[in-house]
Amino acid sequence: MDYLLDLLKIILPAGIVLYGMYLVVVSFLSKEREKLLIDLKTQNTQVVLPIRLQAAERLCLLLERITPNNLVRRSNPNQFSAAELHPQLLADVREEFNHNLSQQVYFSEETWEAVRRAVEDVVTLLNLSRQSLHADASGMDLAKSIFANSLEQKNDAITYALRQVKSEIQLHF
C-alpha cells in the first residue's frame, strides 16, 4: 500500500505538470496560427484590394461609356444613316461589355447581374429606338430617338448598377 501511495505521489504531480505543458503548447500553437492568418489576410488585402478598386473603376467606366448620351456623342451620328449607326452603337456596347467580362470575378453575383441588366437595357433601348424610325432615317434621327427613349426610361438600370458597384467597394473601407 505504501508503494502505491509513493507511486501516486510521483505520478500525480508529473501528470499535472504534463497537462499544464500541454495547455501551454496548445495555447502557443493557437496564437501562432492566428498570427499567421492575420498576416495572410493583411498580405491578401494589400494585393487584392487595389485589384478590386481597379475592377470597380473599370466597371464604373463601362457603365458611364454605355450611357446612351455618352454612347451617341462618341459615334458622331451626323456622318451615318440610322441603318449604319445602329449596328455600330450595338457593337460599341458589346465590345465595352466583353472587354470588362473578367471584372465579374471581383464582385458579388448581385452586382454583376445589375451590370449585365444595365447593358441589356441599353441594347434594348437602342433596338427600340431603331425600330421606331423609318428605313431611310438619318443618324441624327436615331440619336434623337435614343435620347427621347432614354429620357423616358431615365437609365435606372445604369444608375442602379453604379450604386451597386460603389456600395460593394465601400464595404472594404
Side-chain angles (χ1 to χ4, degrees), residues 34-46:
E34 286 177 21
K35 274 186 194 176
L36 287 174
L37 285 174
I38 289 171
D39 288 344
L40 183 64
K41 285 182 181 179
T42 303
Q43 290 173 355
N44 191 19
T45 300
Q46 290 174 351

Side-chain angles (χ1 to χ4, degrees), residues 4-114:
L4 243 121
L5 199 56
D6 288 339
L7 189 61
L8 224 118
K9 286 180 187 177
I10 294 171
I11 291 178
L12 190 59
I16 290 173
V17 168
L18 279 174
Y19 182 68
M21 287 301 295
Y22 170 77
L23 290 177
V24 168
V25 168
V26 166
S27 174
F28 175 75
L29 290 176
S30 174
K31 286 182 182 178
E32 283 298 311
R33 196 179 107 213
E34 286 177 21
K35 274 186 194 176
L36 287 174
L37 285 174
I38 289 171
D39 288 344
L40 183 64
K41 285 182 181 179
T42 303
Q43 290 173 355
N44 191 19
T45 300
Q46 290 174 351
V47 171
V48 172
L49 188 60
I51 293 172
R52 289 188 94 182
L53 286 174
Q54 186 179 29
E57 289 172 0
R58 287 184 62 181
L59 279 186
C60 289
L61 184 62
L62 159 75
L63 292 167
E64 288 296 332
R65 286 178 63 91
I66 66 167
T67 322
N69 188 25
N70 293 333
L71 191 64
V72 170
R73 279 193 292 165
R74 277 196 328 269
S75 65
N76 197 4
N78 291 330
Q79 295 178 348
F80 302 103
S81 70
E84 296 167 335
L85 183 61
H86 178 254
Q88 180 184 346
L89 293 175
L90 288 175
D92 288 349
V93 170
R94 289 187 180 116
E95 182 180 328
E96 287 285 338
F97 181 68
N98 289 337
H99 183 69
N100 290 291
L101 270 175
S102 63
Q103 305 314 310
Q104 67 183 301
V105 172
Y106 301 106
F107 290 94
S108 68
E109 189 67 32
E110 181 181 342
T111 300
W112 184 250
E113 190 59 36

Side-chain angles (χ1 to χ4, degrees), residues 120-140:
E120 289 171 3
D121 280 2
V122 170
V123 169
T124 302
L125 174 77
L126 295 175
N127 289 335
L128 288 175
S129 298
R130 176 64 181 118
Q131 288 174 356
S132 67
L133 298 176
H134 49 78
D136 59 341
S138 70
M140 280 307 284

